[in-house]
Structure formats: structure tokens, C-alpha cells
Amino acid sequence: MECLVSTDDEAFTYNRQVSRLAPIQEHRMIRKAIERGVPEEKIAAALDLGTRSIQKKIKLLDGISEEAIAILKDKPATGAVFDALRKMKTMRQIEAAELLVNANNYSVAYVKAILAGTPQAQLVESSKPKKVKGITPEAMARMEQELSRLQEGIASIQDTYGQNHLHLTVIKAYVGKLLGNARIVRYLMQTRPEFLSEFQTIAEMDSVMPAEAE
């Protein structure tokens, strides 16, 4: 971080390094620089930003729960995401962060849709009528219902995933044992070659885990 107060070349290198970070990682690096006594003006100059932008980055996680931060720590969640989360209570922040990650969508439109679909009781200002620019109360009610169904579906998948993984592991082992029998392999080659091809693919799988879960 000392490079922030050093040469132009070092500042440029730092700027390139920060530009590759997720917003939460960038926030933490900037906070660390502040704690070490680097003035906001020098950080702003190194990042080619205004001091107001730096101040926003410093306050990025104000009002955000630790659980939601952990979920989004390496994700490209912009300030708009955290502005929306800040309006939600802790449990809803966690649910919203999980919805963003599961959809791999961190756009302003999607964040607004999640906010619009958040029940009034789960907002920080629960007594204040919910208003989202460009979305009618009727549309917000529909979004609440749709998001509720989506969350139920995600929960169901998560509950059954472990059991399905176990079943796939057992099947893989059983298919591998079948293919170890020369008579069975000859029979499949003569009568069901398409089955043999599929069985071989299953038996040769390195993992039964989806790539994003590994």
C-alpha cells in the first residue's frame, strides 16, 4: 500500500492491481491504506478517482451483515447491490446475497427486482411504504411471490443435493463393476452399443460433483 505515496509508475501498478479486485476486496484494501495513514486524496489520485468515490468505497459495507459480506466477498457486486442490501434486515440480506450468487447476476435491474420482491416486514424501514422507481405496487407483489417460490426451489435443491450425490457415487461404482465383466461388455457391444458408450462415460468420470461445486 506504500506505493500510493510513491512514484507515478508505482501508483499506476497499484491502480491496475486494484482494478482486478472484487468490490469488497477493493474496499478492504482502501480501508487498510487509510488505517496506515495514507490520505484519501493520494488514494484517489492513485486510482484516478474523485475523493467522493473513495469515500463511497470506504463506506461500501456499512450496514451490511457479516454473513452477506462473506457470500459476496469475491463477487462483482457493485455499490448498487449494497445500497439495496442496506435497506433489508439481516436475514433478508443473506437471502438476497444467495439469490445474486445462484443467478450469477449482479446487475442493477436484478438487485432492484430483489428489493421490490422483499416483503415489507423484512425491510429496515418496515413501516415506510416500499417504493422502487419504475415498479408498480402490483408488480412488486408479483415479484414477492415469484422470489418466494424461487427461494423454496433453491432450498429444495440444496436439501436433496447431498442425497443425489450419494446415489450418483453408488451408481458410478456399480457401473464400473459391470464393465469389469467381459461377458457383459461383449453383450452390450453386440446388442446395446449406445448403452455401453454411456456406461463407459459414467465409469470414467473423475467426479460426480458439478464443476462449480468443486
Side-chain angles (χ1 to χ4, degrees), residues 194-208:
E194 69 279 10
F195 286 6
L196 177 60
S197 176
E198 293 297 331
F199 287 166
Q200 287 173 331
T201 299
I202 293 171
E204 292 169 4
M205 288 172 61
D206 292 330
S207 171
V208 293

PDB file of all heavy atoms in Angstrom, residues 194-208:
ATOM      1  N   GLU A 194     -25.020 -48.300 -27.740  1.00  0.00           N
ATOM      2  CA  GLU A 194     -25.216 -46.939 -27.221  1.00  0.00           C
ATOM      3  C   GLU A 194     -25.203 -46.918 -25.688  1.00  0.00           C
ATOM      4  O   GLU A 194     -24.726 -45.957 -25.061  1.00  0.00           O
ATOM      5  CB  GLU A 194     -26.529 -46.348 -27.754  1.00  0.00           C
ATOM      6  CG  GLU A 194     -27.820 -46.972 -27.231  1.00  0.00           C
ATOM      7  CD  GLU A 194     -28.202 -48.281 -27.940  1.00  0.00           C
ATOM      8  OE1 GLU A 194     -27.367 -48.787 -28.707  1.00  0.00           O
ATOM      9  OE2 GLU A 194     -29.329 -48.748 -27.728  1.00  0.00           O
ATOM     10  N   PHE A 195     -25.696 -47.984 -25.060  1.00  0.00           N
ATOM     11  CA  PHE A 195     -25.648 -48.097 -23.605  1.00  0.00           C
ATOM     12  C   PHE A 195     -24.212 -48.226 -23.126  1.00  0.00           C
ATOM     13  O   PHE A 195     -23.811 -47.633 -22.122  1.00  0.00           O
ATOM     14  CB  PHE A 195     -26.459 -49.309 -23.130  1.00  0.00           C
ATOM     15  CG  PHE A 195     -27.951 -49.120 -23.199  1.00  0.00           C
ATOM     16  CD1 PHE A 195     -28.514 -47.991 -23.780  1.00  0.00           C
ATOM     17  CD2 PHE A 195     -28.786 -50.084 -22.674  1.00  0.00           C
ATOM     18  CE1 PHE A 195     -29.882 -47.822 -23.846  1.00  0.00           C
ATOM     19  CE2 PHE A 195     -30.168 -49.932 -22.731  1.00  0.00           C
ATOM     20  CZ  PHE A 195     -30.723 -48.800 -23.328  1.00  0.00           C
ATOM     21  N   LEU A 196     -23.444 -49.023 -23.859  1.00  0.00           N
ATOM     22  CA  LEU A 196     -22.048 -49.239 -23.478  1.00  0.00           C
ATOM     23  C   LEU A 196     -21.285 -47.914 -23.467  1.00  0.00           C
ATOM     24  O   LEU A 196     -20.499 -47.642 -22.546  1.00  0.00           O
ATOM     25  CB  LEU A 196     -21.383 -50.216 -24.445  1.00  0.00           C
ATOM     26  CG  LEU A 196     -19.894 -50.488 -24.209  1.00  0.00           C
ATOM     27  CD1 LEU A 196     -19.665 -51.073 -22.820  1.00  0.00           C
ATOM     28  CD2 LEU A 196     -19.347 -51.432 -25.291  1.00  0.00           C
ATOM     29  N   SER A 197     -21.524 -47.104 -24.474  1.00  0.00           N
ATOM     30  CA  SER A 197     -20.850 -45.814 -24.554  1.00  0.00           C
ATOM     31  C   SER A 197     -21.196 -44.937 -23.355  1.00  0.00           C
ATOM     32  O   SER A 197     -20.320 -44.308 -22.747  1.00  0.00           O
ATOM     33  CB  SER A 197     -21.233 -45.103 -25.858  1.00  0.00           C
ATOM     34  OG  SER A 197     -20.665 -43.814 -25.910  1.00  0.00           O
ATOM     35  N   GLU A 198     -22.478 -44.906 -22.994  1.00  0.00           N
ATOM     36  CA  GLU A 198     -22.911 -44.092 -21.852  1.00  0.00           C
ATOM     37  C   GLU A 198     -22.342 -44.635 -20.540  1.00  0.00           C
ATOM     38  O   GLU A 198     -21.907 -43.873 -19.672  1.00  0.00           O
ATOM     39  CB  GLU A 198     -24.444 -44.059 -21.785  1.00  0.00           C
ATOM     40  CG  GLU A 198     -25.108 -43.327 -22.941  1.00  0.00           C
ATOM     41  CD  GLU A 198     -24.742 -41.849 -22.991  1.00  0.00           C
ATOM     42  OE1 GLU A 198     -24.474 -41.270 -21.928  1.00  0.00           O
ATOM     43  OE2 GLU A 198     -24.708 -41.287 -24.099  1.00  0.00           O
ATOM     44  N   PHE A 199     -22.351 -45.952 -20.394  1.00  0.00           N
ATOM     45  CA  PHE A 199     -21.817 -46.561 -19.176  1.00  0.00           C
ATOM     46  C   PHE A 199     -20.328 -46.257 -19.013  1.00  0.00           C
ATOM     47  O   PHE A 199     -19.845 -46.006 -17.907  1.00  0.00           O
ATOM     48  CB  PHE A 199     -22.042 -48.075 -19.207  1.00  0.00           C
ATOM     49  CG  PHE A 199     -23.475 -48.487 -18.989  1.00  0.00           C
ATOM     50  CD1 PHE A 199     -23.891 -49.783 -19.281  1.00  0.00           C
ATOM     51  CD2 PHE A 199     -24.408 -47.597 -18.501  1.00  0.00           C
ATOM     52  CE1 PHE A 199     -25.202 -50.170 -19.085  1.00  0.00           C
ATOM     53  CE2 PHE A 199     -25.726 -47.973 -18.299  1.00  0.00           C
ATOM     54  CZ  PHE A 199     -26.129 -49.267 -18.595  1.00  0.00           C
ATOM     55  N   GLN A 200     -19.612 -46.315 -20.136  1.00  0.00           N
ATOM     56  CA  GLN A 200     -18.176 -46.020 -20.079  1.00  0.00           C
ATOM     57  C   GLN A 200     -17.931 -44.570 -19.663  1.00  0.00           C
ATOM     58  O   GLN A 200     -17.001 -44.283 -18.901  1.00  0.00           O
ATOM     59  CB  GLN A 200     -17.532 -46.299 -21.443  1.00  0.00           C
ATOM     60  CG  GLN A 200     -17.401 -47.781 -21.754  1.00  0.00           C
ATOM     61  CD  GLN A 200     -16.921 -48.041 -23.157  1.00  0.00           C
ATOM     62  OE1 GLN A 200     -17.168 -47.246 -24.082  1.00  0.00           O
ATOM     63  NE2 GLN A 200     -16.234 -49.166 -23.360  1.00  0.00           N
ATOM     64  N   THR A 201     -18.761 -43.669 -20.168  1.00  0.00           N
ATOM     65  CA  THR A 201     -18.630 -42.263 -19.789  1.00  0.00           C
ATOM     66  C   THR A 201     -18.837 -42.077 -18.289  1.00  0.00           C
ATOM     67  O   THR A 201     -18.087 -41.357 -17.619  1.00  0.00           O
ATOM     68  CB  THR A 201     -19.659 -41.397 -20.551  1.00  0.00           C
ATOM     69  OG1 THR A 201     -19.411 -41.498 -21.954  1.00  0.00           O
ATOM     70  CG2 THR A 201     -19.559 -39.935 -20.131  1.00  0.00           C
ATOM     71  N   ILE A 202     -19.858 -42.747 -17.749  1.00  0.00           N
ATOM     72  CA  ILE A 202     -20.143 -42.658 -16.310  1.00  0.00           C
ATOM     73  C   ILE A 202     -18.976 -43.226 -15.499  1.00  0.00           C
ATOM     74  O   ILE A 202     -18.521 -42.629 -14.521  1.00  0.00           O
ATOM     75  CB  ILE A 202     -21.447 -43.408 -15.966  1.00  0.00           C
ATOM     76  CG1 ILE A 202     -22.645 -42.690 -16.591  1.00  0.00           C
ATOM     77  CG2 ILE A 202     -21.624 -43.527 -14.451  1.00  0.00           C
ATOM     78  CD1 ILE A 202     -23.938 -43.460 -16.494  1.00  0.00           C
ATOM     79  N   ALA A 203     -18.496 -44.400 -15.913  1.00  0.00           N
ATOM     80  CA  ALA A 203     -17.429 -45.064 -15.158  1.00  0.00           C
ATOM     81  C   ALA A 203     -16.121 -44.277 -15.175  1.00  0.00           C
ATOM     82  O   ALA A 203     -15.319 -44.370 -14.237  1.00  0.00           O
ATOM     83  CB  ALA A 203     -17.193 -46.465 -15.733  1.00  0.00           C
ATOM     84  N   GLU A 204     -15.899 -43.493 -16.224  1.00  0.00           N
ATOM     85  CA  GLU A 204     -14.646 -42.759 -16.362  1.00  0.00           C
ATOM     86  C   GLU A 204     -14.707 -41.352 -15.786  1.00  0.00           C
ATOM     87  O   GLU A 204     -13.726 -40.601 -15.851  1.00  0.00           O
ATOM     88  CB  GLU A 204     -14.252 -42.689 -17.846  1.00  0.00           C
ATOM     89  CG  GLU A 204     -13.869 -44.047 -18.428  1.00  0.00           C
ATOM     90  CD  GLU A 204     -13.738 -44.018 -19.938  1.00  0.00           C
ATOM     91  OE1 GLU A 204     -13.876 -42.906 -20.522  1.00  0.00           O
ATOM     92  OE2 GLU A 204     -13.504 -45.080 -20.536  1.00  0.00           O
ATOM     93  N   MET A 205     -15.839 -40.986 -15.228  1.00  0.00           N
ATOM     94  CA  MET A 205     -15.976 -39.651 -14.637  1.00  0.00           C
ATOM     95  C   MET A 205     -14.974 -39.475 -13.496  1.00  0.00           C
ATOM     96  O   MET A 205     -14.840 -40.345 -12.640  1.00  0.00           O
ATOM     97  CB  MET A 205     -17.399 -39.442 -14.090  1.00  0.00           C
ATOM     98  CG  MET A 205     -18.455 -39.284 -15.158  1.00  0.00           C
ATOM     99  SD  MET A 205     -20.147 -39.286 -14.448  1.00  0.00           S
ATOM    100  CE  MET A 205     -20.074 -37.878 -13.380  1.00  0.00           C
ATOM    101  N   ASP A 206     -14.279 -38.350 -13.496  1.00  0.00           N
ATOM    102  CA  ASP A 206     -13.335 -38.056 -12.410  1.00  0.00           C
ATOM    103  C   ASP A 206     -14.073 -37.682 -11.129  1.00  0.00           C
ATOM    104  O   ASP A 206     -13.602 -37.905 -10.027  1.00  0.00           O
ATOM    105  CB  ASP A 206     -12.405 -36.898 -12.800  1.00  0.00           C
ATOM    106  CG  ASP A 206     -11.464 -37.299 -13.914  1.00  0.00           C
ATOM    107  OD1 ASP A 206     -11.117 -38.485 -13.987  1.00  0.00           O
ATOM    108  OD2 ASP A 206     -11.082 -36.421 -14.692  1.00  0.00           O
ATOM    109  N   SER A 207     -15.263 -37.062 -11.295  1.00  0.00           N
ATOM    110  CA  SER A 207     -16.040 -36.637 -10.144  1.00  0.00           C
ATOM    111  C   SER A 207     -17.504 -36.606 -10.518  1.00  0.00           C
ATOM    112  O   SER A 207     -17.859 -36.403 -11.675  1.00  0.00           O
ATOM    113  CB  SER A 207     -15.585 -35.236  -9.702  1.00  0.00           C
ATOM    114  OG  SER A 207     -16.462 -34.723  -8.722  1.00  0.00           O
ATOM    115  N   VAL A 208     -18.371 -36.828  -9.523  1.00  0.00           N
ATOM    116  CA  VAL A 208     -19.810 -36.709  -9.746  1.00  0.00           C
ATOM    117  C   VAL A 208     -20.291 -35.358  -9.245  1.00  0.00           C
ATOM    118  O   VAL A 208     -21.490 -35.096  -9.232  1.00  0.00           O
ATOM    119  CB  VAL A 208     -20.593 -37.839  -9.031  1.00  0.00           C
ATOM    120  CG1 VAL A 208     -20.283 -39.172  -9.645  1.00  0.00           C
ATOM    121  CG2 VAL A 208     -20.304 -37.846  -7.536  1.00  0.00           C
TER     122      VAL A 208
END
